């Protein structure tokens, strides 16, 4: 019986000591070190893959952008071709202007002769002013001022005639050079560039100068017409004091009709036709002027792309 009790006590002690001994043993170093690197390595590989994917996508976008830029690139020759086309379009308006120049020139010459004949009306006004204390006719009794008006008008009309003839020469030179543009010539780019500069410096300048001169001519016509209508009104009245003045205003072969009234009607009709054509001319100037300025802008770009062909 005692032996059984001793054996049971030994077994019980062994079962108690074994767990304590196991707990006191050190933990192998390999257990934590194998788990930690595995947890860190996975996110590093994932980040690198994402970065590579982003760079690949960005590179593909850049390649597409480069191809797009290459497909829409423009050269100085392209710009020269564009300007050449626009120059030829402008020639249509220039030809239209040249057709009107002949009529403008004819009207200016007629106005010059018409104004020169005012000496008769000046004399009539002076005579009438001697008989009438108050004669409400422009320049009546002020022959010196009206003489100055006639003189200034003659100078202005002469200047208009000179501008018209000069523009006829300039515009013809422009048309000839525009018609001669040939993309097969080695000097094509330079020829287009030179003609653009000619259009800006010479053609446009002559065009606007003619416009200014013709506008002044229109104003002179309006002033002359106003004077003639006033004189015709008062001289055509029944005032006996103006009888002597009337004698200065009748032509020898027009006894039944006042020469002054005939002259007034002629000026009115011619002025209306002239002003109508002047409006059409103004319209072409307003259209052509910005077109030429646009050509200069494109030519500047062409020169910056290929400055060697246009160093002037």
């Amino acid at each position: 019986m005692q032996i059984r009790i001793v054996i049971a006590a030994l077994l019980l002690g062994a079962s108690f000591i074994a767990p304590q001994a196991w707990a006191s043993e050190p933990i192998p170093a390999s257990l934590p070190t194998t788990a930690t690197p595995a947890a860190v390595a996975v996110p590093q590989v994932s980040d690198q893959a994402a970065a590579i994917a982003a760079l690949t996508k960005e590179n593909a976008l850049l390649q597409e952008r480069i191809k797009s830029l290459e497909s829409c690139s423009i050269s100085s020759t392209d710009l020269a071709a564009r300007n050449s086309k626009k120059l030829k379009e402008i020639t249509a308006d220039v030809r239209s202007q040249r057709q009107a120049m002949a009529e403008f020139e004819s009207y200016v010459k007629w106005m010059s002769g018409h104004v020169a004949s005012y000496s008769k009306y000046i004399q009539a006004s002076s005579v009438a002013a001697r008989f009438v204390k108050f004669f409400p006719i422009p320049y009546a009794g002020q022959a010196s001022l009206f003489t100055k008006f006639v003189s200034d008008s003659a100078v202005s009309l002469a200047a208009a005639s000179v501008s018209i003839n000069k523009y006829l020469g300039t515009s013809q030179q422009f048309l000839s050079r525009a018609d001669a543009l040939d993309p097969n010539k080695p000097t094509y780019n330079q020829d287009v560039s030179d003609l653009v500069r000619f259009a800006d410096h010479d053609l446009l300048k002559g065009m606007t100068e003619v416009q200014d001169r013709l506008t002044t001519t229109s104003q002179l016509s309006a002033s002359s017409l106003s004077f003639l209508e006033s004189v015709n009104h008062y001289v055509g009245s029944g005032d006996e004091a103006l009888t002597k003045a009337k004698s200065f205003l009748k032509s020898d072969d027009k006894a039944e009709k006042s020469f002054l009234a005939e002259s007034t009607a002629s000026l009115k009709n011619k002025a209306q036709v002239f002003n109508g054509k002047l409006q059409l001319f103004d319209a072409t100037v307003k259209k052509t002027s910005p077109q030429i300025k646009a050509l200069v802008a494109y030519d500047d770009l062409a020169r910056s792309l290929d400055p060697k062909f246009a160093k002037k």
Side-chain angles (χ1 to χ4, degrees), residues 274-285:
F274 171 80
N275 288 332
K277 293 188 177 298
L278 179 56
Q279 288 180 353
L280 295 176
F281 179 79
D282 288 340
T284 61
V285 174

Side-chain angles (χ1 to χ4, degrees), residues 42-54:
V42 172
Q44 285 182 348
V45 172
S46 177
D47 289 345
Q48 290 178 357
I52 293 173

Side-chain angles (χ1 to χ4, degrees), residues 32-312:
T33 55
T34 54
T36 302
V40 174
V42 172
Q44 285 182 348
V45 172
S46 177
D47 289 345
Q48 290 178 357
I52 293 173
L55 290 173
T56 302
K57 183 178 180 180
E58 183 178 356
N59 182 62
L61 292 174
L62 288 174
Q63 292 296 330
E64 291 180 3
R65 181 60 177 166
I66 291 173
K67 290 180 180 179
S68 176
L69 292 174
E70 289 177 347
S71 63
C72 68
S73 62
I74 191 169
S75 65
S76 59
T77 301
D78 295 329
L79 291 171
R82 184 264 179 201
N83 276 1
S84 177
K85 180 181 178 181
K86 294 299 180 181
L87 284 168
K88 291 183 182 296
E89 291 176 0
I90 291 174
T91 59
D93 288 326
V94 173
R95 287 191 170 90
S96 175
Q97 291 176 348
R98 285 176 56 81
Q99 291 177 354
M101 287 300 110
E103 298 181 47
F104 290 149
E105 175 68 8
S106 176
Y107 180 78
V108 168
K109 288 181 178 179
W110 180 84
M111 272 296 296
S112 298
H114 187 76
V115 170
S117 68
Y118 279 175
S119 59
K120 180 184 294 186
Y121 307 143
I122 295 172
Q123 189 176 8
S125 298
S126 299
V127 172
R130 298 174 190 172
F131 294 94
V132 183
K133 185 175 182 181
F134 178 73
F135 191 35
I137 298 178
Y139 307 106
Q142 303 176 33
S144 61
L145 293 179
F146 190 65
T147 301
K148 187 175 186 301
F149 170 77
V150 173
S151 177
D152 291 344
S153 298
V155 172
S156 179
L157 290 169
S161 182
V162 171
S163 296
I164 289 173
N165 289 322
K166 183 179 178 181
Y167 183 64
L168 284 172
T170 302
S171 59
Q172 182 57 57
Q173 184 178 353
F174 170 78
L175 293 175
S176 299
R177 292 175 63 176
D179 292 339
L181 291 176
D182 185 357
N184 296 319
K185 289 183 178 180
T187 59
Y188 175 65
N189 288 5
Q190 185 68 60
D191 293 341
V192 173
S193 180
D194 290 344
L195 186 55
V196 167
R197 300 296 161 167
F198 177 82
D200 184 44
H201 297 159
D202 298 272
L203 182 72
L204 186 57
K205 179 181 178 181
M207 190 185 301
T208 54
E209 182 177 315
V210 169
Q211 183 185 35
D212 291 341
R213 297 296 187 187
L214 293 179
T215 299
T216 301
T217 300
S218 178
Q219 293 170 349
L220 289 174
S221 300
S223 298
S224 299
L225 184 60
S226 177
F227 171 78
L228 292 178
E229 288 177 337
S230 297
V231 174
N232 189 36
H233 173 73
Y234 289 103
V235 173
S237 68
D239 195 329
E240 294 181 1
L242 302 180
T243 301
K244 190 171 183 179
K246 292 180 183 180
S247 65
F248 291 97
L249 305 175
K250 289 182 179 180
S251 68
D252 296 336
D253 59 344
K254 295 288 183 180
E256 299 297 330
K257 186 176 182 180
S258 171
F259 177 72
L260 178 59
E262 187 178 89
S263 180
T264 302
S266 179
L267 175 58
K268 180 182 292 185
N269 293 334
K270 289 181 178 293
Q272 287 178 346
V273 175
F274 171 80
N275 288 332
K277 293 188 177 298
L278 179 56
Q279 288 180 353
L280 295 176
F281 179 79
D282 288 340
T284 61
V285 174
K286 291 178 181 178
K287 175 185 176 183
T288 304
S289 179
Q291 287 178 330
I292 292 177
K293 293 303 181 183
L295 289 176
V296 174
Y298 278 101
D299 186 61
D300 287 340
L301 178 58
R303 290 174 178 233
S304 65
L305 292 175
D306 190 9
K308 68 177 181 297
F309 84 87
K311 297 181 180 180
K312 296 182 179 180

